[in-house]
Amino acid sequence: MMRQILIAGAGASGMMAAIRAARAGARVTLLERKDRPGKKLLSTGNGRCNLTNMDQREEYYRCDQAGFPSQVLARFPVMDTLEFFEGLGILAKSRNGYIYPNSDQALSVLEALLGELKVLGVKIICQTPVTRAGKKGDTFFVYSGDRKFQGQALILAAGSRAAPVTGSDGSGYELASGFGHRLITPLPALVQLRCGEKHYKRLAGVRAEARVSLYGNGKFLASDQGELQLTDYGISGIPTFQVSRYASVALHRKQEVKARIHFLPQMDEGQVRDMLDRRRRHMKAGNCLQFMNGLLNSKLSAVLLNLAGIREDQPVTSVTKAGWDQLFTQLTNYETQITAANSFDHAQVCRGGVDTRQVRENTLESRLVPGLYFCGELLDVDGICGGYNLQWAWSSGAVAGQNAAKGDRP
């Protein structure tokens, strides 16, 4: 008799799990709360779908259990992902190691997955939120309102709380908790950070190459470099996203969180001092805003001059050594108070989720409930920007689906 697999959640990991389980000979029913599968997938890579990344390192995946993500990823690595999608007709291309479909359309990836699900006979039932689930004997029972489904294995792929409009509303956490699983507190990650200073309204829309370093109670937490985006409430952009999960954790722990920003990261501090000295020697006739012309966006220059105690119209020759020192500090070590991370509505993923210590790393089966499996964002694993969270979805979905179909347990 074919093994019946139920999967809650038809996102990236759920669809991968369904395909792998069906290919392994199982009969699969995929339950999705939204009106169609893969809604979140369509928004990845700004609609282009950053499928994965060739540069895979353990430190690019965060988890409270060190080493857990890498053990799962080793069972379905990047080359397996590329081979899988090539088999679905997706021609991949690399942009400095960032892998995209050649079409630059997330829709083409979704359609390829849906096409394979159809070929394999996977039953997809949309607008069917899983409201509760349980197990009696060797059979799992899943309910959506008054509808009941049953099977020999259940895969929870319901996502995190990030971007709930796409279907990730946190309901999967409740299902996992109902089976006795412990949760690491879910918090927004890959998200914008809100700052306390009032001058951000003057900086809205400014972009600058910068290095962002994050501190909690004065202790260094993380840093990243890239294009920083300044908003009317704080900071955004890739470097902000990369450090944001650490800000969320520190704020949750009631720590004082600050970011220090180097606005000229292509130079070390000595080079910045030398550059300022040269400019002072060559630009004696103008005012200080003119002195800053060509260094940074003019709106950002005006704010940094003000923070250094220097007037925009002040003659360059009248600035004191203390003033120049303050300007140097603002350029290389600008400090801002982080008051909050933006909400789950704005987050790409979550920090936290199902505690991986209660999940077998070789199969993604529950250590508490035989036949129960987990994959994707529901688990306490989050990757940095650049295709890593999708690679986690593909790898964890593949491992969970394959093993659920086999039903093997150590």
Side-chain angles (χ1 to χ4, degrees):
M1 179 181 291
M2 295 178 69
R3 188 170 168 83
Q4 173 67 54
I5 309 295
L6 302 175
I7 302 178
S13 67
M15 287 187 286
M16 173 62 88
I19 289 170
R20 291 278 286 190
R23 285 181 177 179
R27 186 167 66 250
V28 181
T29 299
L30 191 51
L31 305 174
E32 169 56 39
R33 70 180 297 110
K34 303 299 284 185
D35 59 351
R36 55 178 173 153
K39 292 194 80 167
K40 191 170 184 178
L41 181 63
L42 293 176
S43 65
T44 59
N46 292 320
R48 294 179 299 158
C49 194
N50 187 181
L51 278 169
T52 185
N53 199 302
M54 298 303 295
D55 182 13
Q56 293 286 321
R57 305 183 199 181
E58 186 172 346
E59 61 264 31
Y60 291 166
Y61 297 87
R62 292 79 171 258
C63 177
D64 271 21
Q65 183 185 10
F68 180 90
S70 59
Q71 293 187 65
V72 176
L73 291 159
R75 288 172 169 79
F76 193 84
V78 168
M79 296 312 296
D80 286 359
T81 298
L82 296 177
E83 182 179 349
F84 171 82
F85 281 104
E86 183 180 359
L88 299 187
I90 298 295
L91 177 64
K93 64 181 176 183
S94 173
R95 292 192 179 96
N96 298 317
Y98 294 73
I99 305 300
Y100 295 86
N102 200 60
S103 64
D104 271 333
Q105 289 183 299
L107 180 60
S108 62
V109 176
L110 177 56
E111 288 180 342
L113 291 167
L114 292 176
E116 182 67 3
L117 290 166
K118 183 176 182 180
V119 167
L120 292 168
V122 172
K123 189 175 183 180
I124 304 174
I125 308 176
C126 293
Q127 295 181 308
T128 308
V130 176
T131 51
R132 58 191 177 97
K135 185 183 183 186
K136 185 175 182 179
D138 292 330
T139 302
F140 286 90
F141 296 91
V142 169
Y143 298 87
S144 179
D146 58 359
R147 300 181 70 184
K148 183 173 76 171
F149 305 88
Q150 63 185 60
Q152 287 75 54
L154 170 62
I155 301 175
L156 295 183
S160 63
R161 289 185 62 191
V165 69
T166 64
S168 301
D169 65 346
S171 59
Y173 298 138
E174 296 178 13
L175 296 173
S177 296
F179 283 107
H181 274 269
R182 182 171 56 243
L183 296 179
I184 307 296
T185 303
L187 298 169
L190 300 187
V191 71
Q192 309 87 350
L193 296 176
R194 306 186 79 87
C195 300
E197 294 79 9
K198 295 181 179 179
H199 55 245
Y200 281 97
K201 293 190 182 300
R202 298 173 58 191
L203 295 172
V206 171
R207 296 171 181 250
E209 184 73 15
R211 182 165 63 250
V212 179
S213 300
L214 196 72
Y215 295 81
N217 284 351
K219 181 182 178 182
F220 174 78
L221 300 176
S223 70
D224 197 74
Q225 182 174 323
E227 187 180 69
L228 179 71
Q229 297 176 28
L230 300 171
T231 71
D232 60 356
Y233 57 80
I235 56 177
S236 183
I238 297 299
T240 301
F241 287 179
Q242 304 288 45
V243 303
S244 60
R245 61 105 62 195
Y246 299 100
S248 287
V249 173
L251 289 165
H252 180 71
R253 293 173 178 169
K254 308 301 182 184
Q255 295 181 11
E256 181 183 48
V257 182
K258 293 185 178 181
R260 295 175 189 166
I261 301 174
H262 190 334
F263 284 109
L264 298 168
Q266 68 274 27
M267 294 184 255
D268 62 30
E269 292 190 357
Q271 291 172 320
V272 173
R273 283 196 182 276
D274 289 344
M275 178 271 295
L276 291 175
D277 287 341
R278 289 195 303 272
R279 290 176 81 88
R280 288 207 307 271
R281 290 195 299 269
H282 295 154
M283 304 174 68
K284 296 178 180 179
N287 63 37
C288 288
L289 188 57
Q290 291 169 331
F291 173 86
M292 295 291 287
N293 184 51
L295 274 184
L296 300 170
N297 180 283
S298 59
K299 291 197 290 186
L300 177 57
S301 292
V303 167
L304 296 184
L305 285 169
N306 180 260
L307 293 172
I310 300 172
R311 299 191 322 274
E312 297 173 37
D313 62 353
Q314 186 172 340
V316 170
T317 53
S318 71
V319 179
T320 65
K321 181 181 183 303
W324 290 119
D325 286 344
Q326 280 298 310
L327 180 60
F328 167 80
T329 297
Q330 295 303 325
L331 286 167
T332 61
N333 204 25
Y334 164 89
E335 189 171 272
T336 185
Q337 185 84 34
I338 305 299
T339 59
N342 263 354
S343 69
F344 290 110
D345 290 344
H346 301 278
Q348 293 183 22
V349 296
C350 285
R351 168 269 186 191
V354 173
D355 191 339
T356 59
R357 296 172 186 86
Q358 296 179 326
V359 178
R360 301 183 188 280
E361 64 277 356
N362 59 331
T363 62
L364 293 183
E365 184 181 28
S366 166
R367 293 183 183 273
L368 309 181
V369 183
L372 175 65
Y373 296 80
F374 300 92
C375 60
E377 290 182 30
L378 187 61
L379 287 159
D380 172 36
V381 177
D382 59 286
I384 65 172
C385 294
Y388 298 98
N389 289 291
L390 268 184
Q391 181 58 51
W392 173 250
W394 309 134
S395 295
S396 61
V399 171
Q402 183 75 29
N403 286 283
K406 293 191 302 182
D408 294 340
R409 293 190 293 275

